[in-house]
Amino acid sequence: MTSWIRANKEDFKLVKEMGIKETGILMSCSDYHIFHKLNMTRREAMQTYLSIAEAALENGITPRCHFEDITRADFFGFVAPLAKNLMGLSDKYKIPVKIRACDTLGVGIPHVGVELPRSVPALIHGLRYYCDVPSSSIEWHGHNDFNSVVVNSTTSWLFGGSSVNSTLFGIGERTGNCPLEAMVFEYAQIKGTTKNMDLKIISDIADYFGRELNYIVPARTPFVGSEFNVTRAGIHADGMLKNKEIYNSFDTEKILGRPPIVAVNSYSGLAGIAAWINGYFKLSDIKKIDKNDQRILPIKKWMDEEYANGRTSNIGNDELKELVFKFIPNILGKEETKAI
């Protein structure tokens, strides 16, 4: 548990009174913030930030220094001197000082060769090698204004940052922060393991948010949206029917408890109907329905009539379930039917 304060004595007094052992301290770095928000000069801002950080260290409190708007700041003119001075205080008091690099407006760029201050690789490299900030003390805080929050966060890891700030489902100001579930998958792809993490909990949390908090995750959100692994095109459905790995990038049922689903519409065809039945009823290989199964022809006929009469929406799961029980009544055993 940490706190988050402005760099002033009144806020820091609250931290001491609460007995918190670590506090975030807002240290706005860009001229936009220093001149126009704080109405200070760079020198005044530097002195203010360092005085509060030292007050924290004197009281045995670990400072987590929020370098706000670092991707629009003068790196060598302000960021580097501030970071070097903070590392000097860290050495003096023998307490690690953490640096949070904040891409406040999401303008950071992950590509090598981009100029400072927009370059995420150069920012992390600069903190490590020009400012002597250890990797263990560098964290990245990104926003998604330019749809780059995940790749920027991953880049910060690859160039030496140890931590990434994230939120469940990317909930956050404006376009949001970095999604926690996305970084779990980034970690897995980089390291080749999820260690002891149970990723099915991600689906449980999404269900909880919808059920208890009335927060509905956008349907097409990767890993957690209700339609993230739903396919619609008939040719895709045919591929899913032959082998789920053709159009499913990983075993979503095994890892997230979310079997791939085929949305049934006017373009689905017999393959789409068969794939939906197999996915919805979780049929084993022995019981799986084939697109050539004659029992699904009445379902296809009913669908064709619906769309011929002007329907434009997908066929819903409840409708399809009733049709399957009507035309294929023995699709499941008695106990399995009760569960569905």
Side-chain angles (χ1 to χ4, degrees):
M1 182 74 71
T2 69
S3 60
W4 181 23
I5 65 170
R6 295 165 296 180
N8 64 49
K9 296 178 180 179
E10 292 75 19
D11 281 12
F12 182 64
K13 180 181 178 183
L14 295 174
V15 173
K16 290 195 294 182
E17 290 174 351
M18 294 171 70
I20 293 174
K21 297 301 181 184
E22 178 176 304
T23 185
I25 303 173
L26 190 59
M27 298 184 178
S28 304
C29 290
S30 72
D31 288 345
Y32 294 102
H33 286 252
I34 294 171
F35 297 158
H36 301 300
K37 184 178 75 173
L38 301 178
N39 294 314
M40 292 181 177
T41 64
R42 287 184 177 184
R43 181 182 296 276
E44 289 170 336
M46 181 80 67
Q47 291 172 343
T48 299
Y49 299 158
L50 293 174
S51 66
I52 296 298
E54 185 157 22
L57 293 165
E58 288 174 344
N59 285 271
I61 298 171
T62 298
R64 173 181 260 116
C65 303
H66 298 197
F67 281 24
E68 187 182 19
D69 210 21
I70 195 172
T71 46
R72 295 197 300 168
D74 182 344
F75 186 83
F76 288 107
F78 188 82
V79 173
L82 176 59
K84 285 183 177 180
N85 280 317
L86 288 168
M87 291 303 102
L89 291 175
S90 178
D91 291 339
K92 177 181 176 181
Y93 290 94
K94 309 302 179 186
I95 296 175
V97 173
K98 300 179 181 180
I99 305 295
R100 172 181 285 176
C102 304
D103 186 15
T104 305
L105 294 182
V107 297
I109 296 174
H111 316 304
V112 174
V114 174
E115 293 291 335
L116 285 166
R118 296 293 178 88
S119 171
V120 177
L123 286 171
I124 302 302
H125 177 86
L127 289 172
R128 290 184 66 198
Y129 292 100
Y130 294 111
C131 309
D132 299 321
V133 183
S135 288
S136 58
S137 293
I138 299 175
E139 62 180 273
W140 180 258
H141 178 93
H143 285 261
N144 202 34
D145 298 72
F146 285 80
N147 215 33
S148 299
V149 71
V150 173
V151 67
N152 280 340
S153 297
T154 303
T155 299
S156 75
W157 270 347
L158 296 176
F159 280 82
S162 67
S163 304
V164 165
N165 294 166
S166 60
T167 63
L168 286 167
F169 319 133
I171 295 171
E173 190 172 10
R174 299 187 313 278
T175 56
N177 291 100
C178 188
L180 172 61
E181 65 279 5
M183 295 314 296
V184 168
F185 278 89
E186 289 291 290
Y187 175 89
Q189 292 184 99
I190 292 170
K191 303 290 285 187
T193 178
T194 56
K195 289 193 173 180
N196 59 347
M197 291 185 278
D198 179 3
L199 303 195
K200 290 181 179 179
I201 297 299
I202 293 172
S203 299
D204 294 341
I205 296 171
D207 292 341
Y208 177 86
F209 268 55
R211 184 179 65 253
E212 302 294 337
L213 307 177
N214 294 319
Y215 180 87
I216 305 302
V217 178
R220 297 179 187 273
T221 304
F223 312 124
V224 288
S226 61
E227 298 186 13
F228 94 92
N229 63 341
V230 173
T231 187
R232 288 175 173 77
I235 192 170
H236 288 189
D238 188 52
M240 292 282 285
L241 195 59
K242 293 171 180 174
N243 189 315
K244 289 188 292 186
E245 293 184 1
I246 294 176
Y247 285 110
N248 208 30
S249 57
F250 63 96
D251 193 335
T252 56
E253 182 171 14
K254 178 181 178 182
I255 294 175
L256 291 171
R258 297 274 302 276
I261 299 293
V262 173
V264 178
N265 54 34
S266 58
Y267 305 105
S268 298
L270 294 169
I273 298 170
W276 182 90
I277 294 172
N278 293 334
Y280 186 84
F281 291 101
K282 299 181 180 180
L283 299 182
S284 63
D285 290 337
I286 299 174
K287 294 183 178 181
K288 275 185 177 178
I289 297 290
D290 183 80
K291 67 179 179 179
N292 297 315
D293 194 311
Q294 297 297 303
R295 295 176 295 174
I296 64 176
L297 290 177
I299 300 175
K300 179 66 166 61
K301 181 181 178 182
W302 180 90
M303 285 175 47
D304 289 343
E305 291 174 353
E306 283 284 299
Y307 289 110
N309 291 329
R311 179 168 183 160
T312 58
S313 60
N314 291 337
I315 309 296
N317 288 346
D318 291 338
E319 291 177 285
L320 285 166
K321 184 171 67 173
E322 289 183 16
L323 289 167
V324 171
F325 283 144
K326 178 180 179 180
F327 295 112
I328 317 175
N330 60 343
I331 188 75
L332 297 174
K334 290 183 179 179
E335 294 302 318
E336 292 172 314
T337 302
K338 288 180 181 178
I340 291 291

